[in-house]
Amino acid sequence: MVRSLKNPKKAKRKNKGSKKGDGSSSSNAIPSMPAKVWQPGVDALEEGEELQCDPSAYNSLHAFHIGWPCLSFDVVRDSLGLVRTEFPHTIYCVTGTQANGAPNSIGIFKISNISGKRRELVPTKTSNADTDMDSDSSDSDEDDELEDNGPKAPVFQLRKVFHEGCVNRIRAMTQNPHICATWGDTGHVQIWDFGSHLNALAETEATVSKDTNTVSKQAPLVKFTGHKDEGYAIDWRDCKNSIHLWEPASDLTWNVDNKPFVGHTASVEDLQWSPTEPFVFASSSVDTTIAIWDTRLGKSPAASIKAHNTDVNVISWNRLASCMLASGSDDGTFSIRDLRMLKEGDSVVAHFEYHKHPITSIEWSPHEASTLAVSSSDNQLTIWDLSLERDEEEEAEFKAKTQEEVHAPTDLPPQLLFVHQGQKDLKELHWHTQIPGMLISTAADGFNILMPSNIESNLPPNAAA
């Protein structure tokens, strides 16, 4: 985000005029100040200033909603290609609504024709008249012109299934993506088969209104009522301090171990299976600890770690470097642990205090072992690359190329790669495992799909679906 002083309506008219090549601009436009990077929690907006998104920071950025806020969602693995690097893109997701006082539903949706273009990492030289970030308006003009020549806008398709109560957490099964699990505020955990809905979405490109009132009635494959309260922690492979193991007995039946794993002294907030050890999982709790469990060793944790000073809201196990576990806390801090160092006592290899409000989601990149994304109640989604270190020569070279036009703060952590704003009350984020660099996030005001322009990948340049 940048901040600027301007008259938005007159600025837009000025940009449209300049695009026609007549070089004219509104004589009534208020003179603009150079754009500056705005730091949440540090800078204050002065009278006449407003935040403006810099579209050149993204390869792709789209927003949408399904009518009600969604606390949780998951990306559904598809058959369109394991590594997709060319626009336009297509994604499938499942989500659940938080409609207090109204019927809730699970949304199974497909978004196709997600457009974008690769941006230059080093901005080109611009005139002083353009440094107020009016480029977002001109970009939208370009998009309008493109849409006049064909269907360039993303196509949104949605199917709804009735769900009893609000959906606190939803997860799609990696091995069988049409199988999903939900945990509602009713305390019930349910398993669903959405194969017919996903097949119907795959077979058509017709736009289905996101405001449709058509909600199908479908019985879950399994409904477990063994938890005594609502919860949030689900992972494939409860708000109480108990964890129950589910194992499939057949395609339609599941065995639920009624004897729980017990070790936390307060509610379990998140759970992650090890990416490499089939019997090992980790859990985080309001009791400020992270527990490591081995299902072969009984119902008590194999290790318990005092992780933070407040509730441990979320954890993420690195699937490319399985010794690394990230955790986010209610005090806004997040930490990285090397599990190989547990026996030595202090396993923390990195600790960050950038966010000042609770961490709501954290996830390692599926394509870069050193990269992770974090969302917080401070309305920021941040991306971090732990391999980065401050390089004064490189910074000087970059400033020379940009002619000092970036105005970047000097006190940011060198590992902070990207800051995304614009969503209110961020809840959850996920990387798309088949589209390198794509992130999807949900908040109280809807979803965002974003692909930052500075997220580099070690994938070969000619990789394709």
Side-chain angles (χ1 to χ4, degrees):
M1 285 287 182
V2 296
R3 63 180 184 180
S4 60
L5 180 67
K6 69 176 191 177
N7 182 321
K9 293 183 179 179
K10 292 179 180 177
K12 188 168 185 179
R13 286 198 297 270
K14 178 187 71 175
N15 265 349
K16 285 187 176 180
S18 61
K19 281 202 55 80
K20 293 178 181 178
D22 59 8
S24 62
S25 62
S26 172
S27 59
N28 297 323
I30 299 175
S32 300
M33 296 290 290
K36 296 182 179 179
V37 176
W38 186 76
Q39 299 182 79
V42 177
D43 299 328
L45 285 178
E46 300 177 2
E47 184 178 356
E49 286 186 318
E50 64 178 29
L51 295 179
Q52 297 291 318
C53 174
D54 180 359
S56 67
Y58 299 87
N59 289 334
S60 184
L61 178 61
H62 300 277
F64 66 97
H65 64 86
I66 68 168
W68 289 99
C70 297
L71 181 68
S72 181
F73 75 101
D74 204 6
V75 178
V76 176
R77 184 177 290 271
D78 57 53
S79 58
L80 300 177
L82 295 178
V83 179
R84 309 202 291 271
T85 60
E86 300 299 326
F87 293 107
H89 289 297
T90 297
I91 64 171
Y92 294 82
C93 294
V94 289
T95 190
T97 63
Q98 289 273 317
N100 293 319
N104 281 276
S105 62
I106 299 169
I108 305 102
F109 62 85
K110 170 189 176 184
I111 303 180
S112 54
N113 202 36
I114 298 172
S115 60
K117 62 180 180 179
R118 296 199 176 277
R119 308 278 185 170
E120 294 294 331
L121 293 178
V122 179
T124 56
K125 174 71 176 176
T126 58
S127 65
N128 292 334
D130 293 330
T131 56
D132 61 355
M133 299 315 300
D134 283 345
S135 56
D136 56 348
S137 299
S138 61
D139 271 14
S140 64
D141 294 338
E142 290 176 358
D143 292 341
D144 291 341
E145 291 174 8
L146 288 172
E147 289 178 16
D148 291 340
N149 297 326
K152 299 297 183 181
V155 178
F156 184 92
Q157 299 170 257
L158 172 68
R159 297 173 71 92
K160 294 181 179 180
V161 173
F162 173 78
H163 187 275
E164 181 184 358
C166 298
V167 179
N168 288 349
R169 186 66 60 92
I170 185 168
R171 290 291 180 263
M173 189 177 184
T174 303
Q175 304 91 324
N176 298 294
H178 60 285
I179 302 296
C180 297
T182 61
W183 196 337
D185 62 0
T186 59
H188 301 155
V189 177
Q190 301 176 85
I191 306 294
W192 307 81
D193 185 346
F194 295 137
S196 61
H197 299 285
L198 291 168
N199 288 337
L201 291 174
E203 292 172 359
T204 177
E205 291 295 330
T207 302
V208 178
S209 171
K210 61 187 175 185
D211 297 319
T212 179
N213 293 320
T214 303
V215 181
S216 63
K217 295 277 188 177
Q218 177 177 332
L221 297 177
V222 181
K223 184 176 182 179
F224 178 64
T225 59
H227 294 285
K228 297 180 181 179
D229 205 346
E230 64 178 314
Y232 298 89
I234 291 179
D235 193 31
W236 283 102
R237 186 56 173 165
D238 51 58
C239 205
K240 289 294 181 182
N241 55 355
S242 300
I243 300 168
H244 292 264
L245 178 66
W246 293 50
E247 293 184 298
S250 67
D251 290 341
L252 299 176
T253 60
W254 296 73
N255 293 329
V256 182
D257 190 346
N258 287 315
K259 185 178 180 182
F261 293 84
V262 179
H264 289 295
T265 59
S267 66
V268 178
E269 298 295 283
D270 205 359
L271 186 151
Q272 287 259 302
W273 282 98
S274 165
T276 56
E277 300 291 336
F279 301 101
V280 177
F281 65 91
S283 60
S284 66
S285 171
V286 169
D287 65 13
T288 73
T289 69
I290 293 173
I292 308 296
W293 311 76
D294 189 326
T295 60
R296 299 165 295 186
L297 302 179
K299 302 296 184 178
S300 299
S304 183
I305 311 162
K306 176 66 166 66
H308 291 271
N309 294 325
T310 58
D311 306 5
V312 188
N313 296 333
V314 286
I315 54 176
S316 179
W317 213 315
N318 194 322
R319 299 189 178 279
L320 299 179
S322 60
C323 60
M324 296 296 175
L325 185 73
S327 59
S329 178
D330 219 41
D331 62 7
T333 65
F334 66 97
S335 300
I336 313 299
R337 283 179 166 76
D338 187 337
L339 299 180
R340 298 171 298 184
M341 300 169 59
L342 283 180
K343 294 182 179 179
E344 301 176 12
D346 187 7
S347 58
V348 177
V349 295
H351 180 76
F352 297 94
E353 299 181 358
Y354 171 83
H355 292 283
K356 306 305 180 186
H357 292 78
I359 303 299
T360 58
S361 188
I362 190 167
E363 188 169 290
W364 291 98
S365 166
H367 299 104
E368 295 293 337
S370 63
T371 302
L372 76 161
V374 180
S375 68
S376 169
S377 297
D378 61 10
N379 300 328
Q380 294 184 75
L381 186 159
T382 54
I383 302 174
W384 303 75
D385 187 343
L386 303 185
S387 68
L388 295 179
E389 296 180 356
R390 191 171 298 281
D391 188 321
E392 294 182 359
E393 291 184 4
E394 191 175 74
E395 288 181 1
E397 181 181 351
F398 181 78
K399 287 182 178 180
K401 289 181 178 179
T402 58
Q403 302 295 317
E404 299 290 348
E405 292 174 9
V406 176
H407 303 288
T410 59
D411 57 347
L412 295 177
Q415 296 83 10
L416 180 57
L417 194 62
F418 195 87
V419 177
H420 171 69
Q421 298 177 75
Q423 291 180 277
K424 295 181 180 179
D425 197 12
L426 277 156
K427 295 299 185 183
E428 192 169 87
L429 63 85
H430 293 298
W431 297 90
H432 199 295
T433 59
Q434 297 168 266
I435 305 176
M438 175 180 282
L439 275 161
I440 307 166
S441 56
T442 184
D445 55 356
F447 291 83
N448 275 188
I449 302 172
L450 58 141
M451 299 182 72
S453 61
N454 65 339
I455 302 298
E456 297 183 358
S457 173
N458 292 325
L459 294 169
N462 59 348

